[in-house]
Amino acid sequence: MMEFKSCSGVFNRLDDEKKKMILSVSIKAFSENGFKSANINTIADNAGVSVGAMYKYFENKRALYLTCLEWSLMHLSSKISSVVDEEPDFLGIIEKIIRVIQEAKAESEPFNKLYYEMATESNAEFAMLIASQIEGVTSNLYAAYLEEAQKNNLIRQDIDPRFFAFFIDNLFIMLQFSYSCEYYKDRMQLYTYDDVFLDDARVREQAMRFIKGALFYSEEE
Amino acid sequence: MMEFKSCSGVFNRLDDEKKKMILSVSIKAFSENGFKSANINTIADNAGVSVGAMYKYFENKRALYLTCLEWSLMHLSSKISSVVDEEPDFLGIIEKIIRVIQEAKAESEPFNKLYYEMATESNAEFAMLIASQIEGVTSNLYAAYLEEAQKNNLIRQDIDPRFFAFFIDNLFIMLQFSYSCEYYKDRMQLYTYDDVFLDDARVREQAMRFIKGALFYSEEE
DNA sequence: ATTATTAAAGTGAGTGCTCACTCACTTACT
DNA sequence: AGTAAGTGAGTGAGCACTCACTTTAATAAT
């Protein structure tokens, strides 16, 4: 079923259950320890596979890492497209995305952490290999929707849709971090209040107001 | 002059020039390689100091890292307070902060990278030691200004100033990353256009419109 | 002035541990 | 009988940290 490019044929021939097991254990390790300090021997152990087997599946550590990124990317794409398919209007999509970020906490946490880890300069080496793919999934989507909305005079005219897409995605990314990474969780509580994470609806509402304001405001001078 | 808490007295007794040398080399190493893979022997070499001396200055690698964070924090605080002291009104401060982020590129790059690196889960261990300090510098500042502005009816009433402070700072942080980290640089270009980094004024203008919209918009229903 | 004394600062080869990766081998499948 | 898949002790490189030692500098004794 799932086919990856950065691994050996042996790995691709494994059944999905085993592939998932190995990759989820790896993602957990990489996101928690970073690329360099994640330990392949330990990963193999936790995944119930021998070290030797791991090196039959992946040429080296780097290849394992890339395969994890591939998987995360597939995960993201499917999440995004399911949202877009369901919701017709732009504001609906934005709200839905925020909702997905909030709800997908547990399930997506490791993916988000990995994504965050990857963007660190330390891993710049492969970051670029995947960056355009990840952002490609979302950037054009937002910008296209905003341009469309601007043409139909649904949102203010005095802004560049590309910048707005950028700013909105910035907010999404930080929200994702704030729901996934310990540091940013604490930071969000510091800015707002201790029980924010019990108040998903409120966060969504406030975020929507912020974004709507940014989109609809028109300066009279 | 500069006094640190996470190091030995021997280090504090060094002249500022040498302290700066050691810390800037260390910050560079930590931000580029992450905590685990930064090499103390190499750092010592690059700073023109023996390994033994390093361990006279810092009890261990962790202590060196914490001292780097302390220094970054001092840097941030002084930057922020110089902005706040100069500018009287809230919008002025926001614009000034964006300007500082853009201008301080070269000088602050290593600090930003370190900050980013630190927030990674891998370093959660010490992140928390410093998080509240870092955010404490900014969070209360913004929230207080916004509350004030709200009382004076200068901005919309239907939002929680704490959330708005949070969202605005989220935008700042992403902007900082976008000006410092390779990955986020590329991402910004992908969203906007290739020469964005030659167009500081334009970025500032667009960001201000976005934020102003968010702050001033009022919904009529 | 010169020399002795002592403490503080600095040195870098060495130690022991961690970990990516290998390879001679076993097991399972056809 | 032959091939594909899997095993895990072993290897060597990298690196945090140590320690027996040297250098520097400041003060005291002659």
Side-chain angles (χ1 to χ4, degrees):
Chain A
M1 282 299 87
M2 303 191 297
E3 281 272 335
F4 298 95
K5 286 183 296 183
S6 315
C7 60
S8 76
V10 188
F11 182 71
N12 271 328
R13 256 170 266 133
L14 258 41
D15 57 298
D16 276 12
E17 209 51 45
K18 200 167 181 184
K19 279 191 254 186
K20 258 189 183 166
M21 183 65 186
I22 292 169
L23 291 183
S24 59
V25 166
S26 305
I27 285 181
K28 191 163 181 297
F30 282 130
S31 60
E32 280 172 3
N33 309 297
F35 176 70
K36 270 258 181 71
S37 13
N39 183 338
I40 295 229
N41 296 40
T42 311
I43 290 175
D45 243 31
N46 291 339
V49 166
S50 72
V51 196
M54 286 298 279
Y55 280 87
K56 288 270 156 65
Y57 302 154
F58 307 97
E59 202 191 331
N60 49 35
K61 201 184 191 182
R62 186 190 142 88
L64 171 62
Y65 191 79
L66 285 174
T67 310
C68 289
L69 284 178
E70 271 187 59
W71 197 37
S72 300
L73 194 62
M74 285 163 53
H75 179 86
L76 176 73
S77 296
S78 74
K79 269 269 134 71
I80 293 280
S81 60
S82 78
V83 168
V84 173
D85 290 349
E86 282 171 30
E87 285 291 329
D89 74 304
F90 189 67
L91 281 181
I93 289 181
I94 289 182
E95 176 146 25
K96 194 67 184 289
I97 288 177
I98 299 177
R99 197 184 291 267
V100 165
I101 291 173
Q102 292 177 320
E103 283 168 3
K105 262 187 290 212
E107 179 207 349
S108 298
E109 217 187 79
F111 294 104
N112 292 342
K113 278 191 203 163
L114 181 72
Y115 174 71
Y116 187 78
E117 228 299 309
M118 177 210 64
T120 305
E121 203 69 10
S122 1
N123 307 319
E125 187 205 344
F126 3 64
M128 282 310 104
L129 279 173
I130 239 94
S132 56
Q133 291 180 53
I134 286 190
E135 305 304 340
V137 173
T138 51
S139 80
N140 291 327
L141 178 83
Y142 300 148
Y145 265 95
L146 283 165
E147 214 168 333
E148 179 73 14
Q150 217 173 31
K151 265 190 201 127
N152 299 335
N153 212 24
L154 293 170
I155 59 174
R156 64 203 279 206
Q157 300 291 322
D158 62 337
I159 53 153
D160 185 331
R162 296 171 299 177
F163 275 98
F164 268 67
F166 174 62
F167 294 138
I168 290 175
D169 196 49
N170 283 355
L171 289 173
F172 288 159
I173 287 191
M174 287 302 290
L175 218 53
Q176 238 173 78
F177 292 159
S178 302
Y179 276 92
S180 309
C181 303
E182 219 39 61
Y183 177 84
Y184 286 104
K185 270 187 208 163
D186 283 27
R187 175 177 167 273
M188 184 165 169
Q189 287 175 325
L190 234 146
Y191 262 100
T192 56
Y193 47 94
D194 277 357
D195 295 330
V196 227
F197 292 107
L198 304 173
D199 259 356
D200 284 0
R202 178 122 201 275
V203 174
R204 220 156 45 232
E205 182 204 76
Q206 296 283 323
M208 285 305 292
R209 284 192 187 161
F210 189 86
I211 292 174
K212 269 199 255 177
L215 287 174
F216 296 143
Y217 178 71
S218 65
E219 216 155 352
E220 57 266 72
E221 2 195 7
Chain B
M1 282 298 90
M2 304 190 296
E3 279 272 336
F4 299 95
K5 285 183 296 182
S6 316
C7 61
S8 75
V10 186
F11 182 73
N12 270 329
R13 255 170 267 132
L14 257 41
D15 58 296
D16 276 12
E17 209 50 46
K18 200 168 181 183
K19 280 193 251 185
K20 258 190 184 168
M21 184 65 186
I22 292 171
L23 290 183
S24 58
V25 167
S26 304
I27 285 183
K28 192 163 181 297
F30 283 129
S31 60
E32 280 172 5
N33 308 298
F35 176 71
K36 271 257 180 74
S37 12
N39 183 338
I40 296 228
N41 297 40
T42 311
I43 290 175
D45 242 30
N46 290 339
V49 166
S50 73
V51 195
M54 285 299 278
Y55 281 87
K56 288 270 157 65
Y57 302 154
F58 309 97
E59 200 191 333
N60 49 33
K61 201 183 189 181
R62 184 191 143 88
L64 171 62
Y65 192 79
L66 286 174
T67 309
C68 289
L69 284 179
E70 272 187 59
W71 196 38
S72 299
L73 194 63
M74 285 163 54
H75 179 88
L76 175 72
S77 296
S78 75
K79 269 268 134 73
I80 294 279
S81 60
S82 78
V83 168
V84 173
D85 291 350
E86 281 171 30
E87 283 293 328
D89 75 305
F90 189 66
L91 282 181
I93 289 181
I94 289 181
E95 175 146 24
K96 194 66 182 288
I97 288 177
I98 298 176
R99 197 184 291 268
V100 166
I101 291 173
Q102 292 176 322
E103 282 168 4
K105 261 185 290 210
E107 178 207 350
S108 299
E109 217 186 80
F111 295 104
N112 292 341
K113 278 192 205 163
L114 181 72
Y115 174 72
Y116 187 79
E117 229 298 310
M118 178 211 63
T120 305
E121 203 67 13
S122 2
N123 307 320
E125 186 205 343
F126 5 63
M128 281 312 102
L129 278 173
I130 238 96
S132 55
Q133 290 182 54
I134 287 189
E135 304 305 339
V137 173
T138 52
S139 81
N140 291 328
L141 176 83
Y142 300 149
Y145 264 95
L146 283 164
E147 216 167 332
E148 179 72 15
Q150 216 172 31
K151 266 193 200 124
N152 300 335
N153 213 26
L154 293 171
I155 60 174
R156 62 202 281 204
Q157 300 291 323
D158 63 337
I159 53 155
D160 184 330
R162 295 171 298 177
F163 274 98
F164 268 67
F166 175 61
F167 294 139
I168 289 175
D169 195 49
N170 282 355
L171 289 173
F172 288 158
I173 287 191
M174 286 303 290
L175 218 52
Q176 237 173 81
F177 292 160
S178 303
Y179 276 93
S180 309
C181 304
E182 220 38 62
Y183 177 84
Y184 286 104
K185 269 186 207 163
D186 283 27
R187 174 176 167 275
M188 183 165 170
Q189 287 175 324
L190 233 145
Y191 262 100
T192 57
Y193 48 95
D194 278 356
D195 295 331
V196 229
F197 292 106
L198 305 173
D199 259 356
D200 284 0
R202 179 122 201 273
V203 174
R204 219 154 48 231
E205 181 204 76
Q206 296 282 325
M208 286 306 291
R209 285 192 185 160
F210 190 86
I211 291 173
K212 270 199 253 176
L215 288 174
F216 297 141
Y217 178 73
S218 67
E219 213 155 356
E220 60 267 70
E221 2 193 10

